[in-house]
Amino acid sequence: MSRAAAEALTLPLAEIGRLLRAGETSPPALAEAALAGLATAGRALNAVAALLPERAAAEAGRAEAELRAGIDRGPLHGIPYGAKDLFAARGAPTTWGAAPFKDRVLDADAAVVEALAAAGAVLVAKLATVELAGGFGYNHPDAAWTGPGRNARDPERWAGGSSSGSGSAVAAGLVPFALGSETWGSITNPACLNGVVGFRPTYGLVSRRGAMALSWTMDKIGPLARTADDCRSVLVAIAGADPEDPTTLLARPIQPDERRSGFRFAVLRGATEGVELEVATNFRASVDLLSAFGDIEEIDLPDLPYDEAAAVVIQAEAAAAFEEFIASGAARRLTAPEDRYGLLDGLTLPAVDYLRALRVRRVAGRALDATLVPFDAVVAPTQPKVAPPLAEQFDSFAEGSETRSLGAAGNLCGLPAATVPNGAGRLGLPTGLELMGRAGSDGTVLAAAAAFERALADRDGAERGGGSSQGGRRHESG
Amino acid sequence: MGDGSGERGELEDGAAVEARLTLALECTGLNLEPAEEAAVRRQLAGSRARAAALRRVPLANGDEPEIVFVPFRADGGEEDR
């Protein structure tokens, strides 16, 4: 394995691309380095569901040949990546993190895997997920046949979920980017806890064909990467209409937003109440940074039962999606004991309760949009606490911390959100800033996230006595 | 349905929880351990509480569910554009 290639995996996509086009590394060298790292460090983190050396060799070989022939598919050409094991990939195991599906092989590529192949990216691994995307109500990290997802910053702590392997593999520098999915927090949570950037697109922007359905009206697919610009490159590749996923036919195209200043930010009132001290400190410092390139105004979200509506929608849809699975008794073989009787509440949920949740969603979507009209993004801490210890039960970890967050409202209403690392919290573990925009404002949210990254790099550079990000590598990805 | 408030609401909730537990076990054919049944009762009580919270949102007759149905065409309608 080339050490230079392994180091290249930790760089922003634009810089890896420059190395590739300068002949200083190659797609096969990058793929081999990624596979080697995933086989050792990745497995130690329980981040790997399956390595795909043959597919990676074929795709990397093609990418290399095309570059030599002058065919350039853009910023993802020759870049290795991992896909959450909820996405089908031809010939590879697709287990959804669930022991009953451990030996299943699907003979198709998910739409996102197809799209990334068309963009020249190289699939090297299926990455671990919490079993069935966490939809059965797991209450602790050990909830997948791959074992508890270990955090890349501290292996004795949780990697977050349900896109556990996607978060830890990117954070550990094993792949430059990964695909995750979010029904309610499954991209932003592991991205934040591992200290990488995660992006949840507007519902319907990315086709879910070939992805496990947990909740048809809540599931979204998005990237986890090292920078907001990298997330944008991946999003551009995977977004678009697909007749096999009718929700994508209504999606607005991604609007380019090249702004570096002049943003309008809303700050969620009370967002630091109940969060860890360091999370609050980092959030306040982040708001100070945002104020250097944008206007700030404190707001409340419309007072509506977002959590309850989101939970009811997911319960009903997940129970319907997995009714046969539960009735077959296969759920009894899931890893987390509490998942073995999960969703029984959803199976008996009255239809009127589900429909009421969808009616509340309509009210919430309109009220939330009216609130967000004046702003490019509303911000809040992504998570109230840093990553919990592996042995911790989530309900006891969360006990006593009633916090205000954007997750329920944003997921219920299908709004785009980015999480960006914003400093070190307790025990030096990462904390994150969440930026959420109106439906269809994906490009703006990513532009704001990138501007925040630049401001943070400038501040950290100044504190270290170095120069600003103007001369740093961040801008080479522009 | 009870809204989960007051003694009567609690009694109604208790009966509804037991009814839904019985229905769930019949539908799935599962045999749960007592501790598992207790956990499912807590889930069902939570489900009832969430439904009660949603009922506190005023909705008019015309407040439709947010469901989008797109009539299918394999070509997405491109031929007509």
Side-chain angles (χ1 to χ4, degrees):
Chain A
M1 176 184 70
S2 157
R3 185 173 167 183
E7 289 174 358
L9 296 175
T10 67
L11 300 174
L13 292 179
E15 189 146 343
I16 305 174
R18 185 188 65 73
L19 296 173
L20 278 170
R21 287 160 185 82
E24 294 178 38
T25 189
S26 69
L30 291 174
E32 287 166 18
L35 285 163
L38 288 162
T40 51
R43 290 216 188 275
L45 292 171
N46 292 334
V48 178
L51 296 175
L52 309 176
E54 291 177 8
R55 179 173 183 140
E59 291 186 343
R62 186 189 72 172
E64 183 178 42
E66 287 182 343
L67 280 179
R68 283 181 177 162
I71 300 168
D72 192 332
R73 294 175 182 265
L76 304 185
H77 193 128
I79 306 286
Y81 78 99
K84 184 177 183 178
D85 191 26
L86 290 191
F87 307 127
R90 184 169 284 114
T94 300
T95 77
W96 299 348
F101 298 122
K102 195 174 173 186
D103 299 319
R104 183 180 56 179
V105 175
L106 298 179
D107 190 29
D109 281 347
V112 285
V113 172
E114 271 180 12
L116 289 174
V122 176
L123 179 61
V124 294
K126 304 290 288 295
L127 298 176
T129 170
V130 174
E131 58 193 355
L132 307 175
F136 277 56
Y138 71 118
N139 190 34
H140 62 96
D142 191 8
W145 69 263
T146 44
R150 294 178 180 274
N151 194 292
R153 312 294 178 184
D154 178 352
E156 295 308 310
R157 288 183 175 257
W158 189 39
S162 64
S163 306
S164 314
S166 300
S168 60
V170 172
L174 307 176
V175 283
F177 76 90
L179 289 178
S181 71
E182 172 153 334
T183 305
W184 185 350
S186 285
I187 290 173
T188 54
N189 173 276
C192 175
L193 297 188
N194 283 286
V196 300
V197 181
F199 186 71
R200 177 187 80 223
T202 299
Y203 175 79
L205 186 61
V206 178
S207 172
R208 299 159 304 161
R209 171 168 51 87
M212 186 202 91
L214 175 62
S215 174
W216 297 290
T217 70
M218 300 267 300
D219 295 341
K220 287 84 59 181
I221 297 172
L224 296 90
R226 308 190 76 76
T227 71
D229 283 341
D230 289 357
C231 282
R232 190 180 196 289
S233 294
V234 178
L235 183 66
V236 167
I238 61 176
D242 176 4
E244 295 297 327
D245 181 350
T247 61
T248 61
L249 302 179
L250 301 172
R252 304 168 181 87
I254 303 166
Q255 298 297 323
D257 190 333
E258 305 299 332
R259 278 181 295 167
R260 291 172 175 243
S261 61
F263 291 94
R264 300 157 301 166
F265 293 110
V267 175
L268 183 64
R269 197 185 317 277
T272 56
E273 291 171 14
V275 307
E276 285 179 347
L277 175 65
E278 297 85 351
V279 171
T281 302
N282 289 345
F283 179 68
R284 291 191 196 100
S286 298
V287 172
D288 284 345
L289 285 175
L290 294 173
S291 68
F293 60 93
D295 296 331
I296 305 283
E297 184 180 329
E298 203 170 48
I299 66 160
D300 292 301
L301 297 186
D303 184 19
L304 289 163
Y306 304 105
D307 287 68
E308 290 84 351
V312 167
V313 171
I314 294 171
Q315 269 182 354
E317 295 183 4
F322 286 99
E323 182 179 0
E324 292 82 0
F325 176 78
I326 296 167
S328 74
R332 305 295 287 170
R333 291 187 280 128
L334 291 171
T335 300
E338 61 274 20
D339 282 349
R340 297 170 193 161
Y341 50 83
L343 291 180
L344 293 187
D345 47 351
L347 280 178
T348 59
L349 190 79
V352 289
D353 286 359
Y354 173 61
L355 288 167
R356 180 169 287 271
L358 295 181
R359 294 171 74 197
V360 170
R361 168 188 270 175
R362 187 180 180 91
V363 171
R366 279 147 184 75
L368 201 49
D369 189 62
T371 301
L372 296 182
V373 163
F375 305 106
D376 293 305
V378 55
V379 299
T382 310
Q383 292 293 316
K385 297 183 177 185
V386 297
L390 283 179
E392 193 86 42
Q393 299 267 328
F394 300 146
D395 50 8
S396 60
F397 187 70
E399 201 169 355
S401 59
E402 285 292 316
T403 58
R404 298 183 188 184
S405 70
L406 302 172
N411 277 289
L412 177 70
C413 299
L415 307 185
T419 178
V420 183
N422 70 341
R426 201 165 60 83
L427 305 170
L429 293 164
T431 63
L433 175 73
E434 182 167 351
L435 305 95
M436 184 179 85
R438 299 175 68 198
S441 70
D442 303 71
T444 292
V445 171
L446 284 167
F452 174 72
E453 285 177 333
R454 282 189 290 272
L456 192 62
D458 284 348
R459 183 198 72 181
D460 293 348
E463 286 177 358
R464 285 194 303 269
S468 79
S469 69
Q470 297 296 326
R473 70 187 189 198
R474 275 289 296 108
H475 281 256
E476 292 174 29
S477 61
Chain B
M1 284 186 195
D3 64 359
S5 62
E7 192 176 335
R8 183 175 173 189
E10 287 175 19
L11 286 172
E12 287 179 358
D13 276 354
V17 163
E18 288 306 316
R20 282 177 61 180
L21 175 62
T22 302
L23 179 62
L25 296 180
E26 276 196 21
C27 287
T28 59
L30 295 178
N31 290 307
L32 301 184
E33 301 293 328
E36 293 177 324
E37 282 196 10
V40 176
R41 281 191 185 89
R42 288 193 293 275
Q43 290 174 8
L44 290 165
S47 176
R48 295 274 298 167
R50 282 187 286 274
L54 294 178
R55 285 197 177 81
R56 288 192 282 273
V57 178
L59 294 173
N61 175 264
D63 284 327
E64 295 184 22
E66 194 72 299
I67 296 174
V68 176
F69 167 61
V70 180
F72 179 76
R73 260 184 72 152
D75 63 5
E78 290 299 323
E79 288 176 4
D80 295 341
R81 291 177 189 168

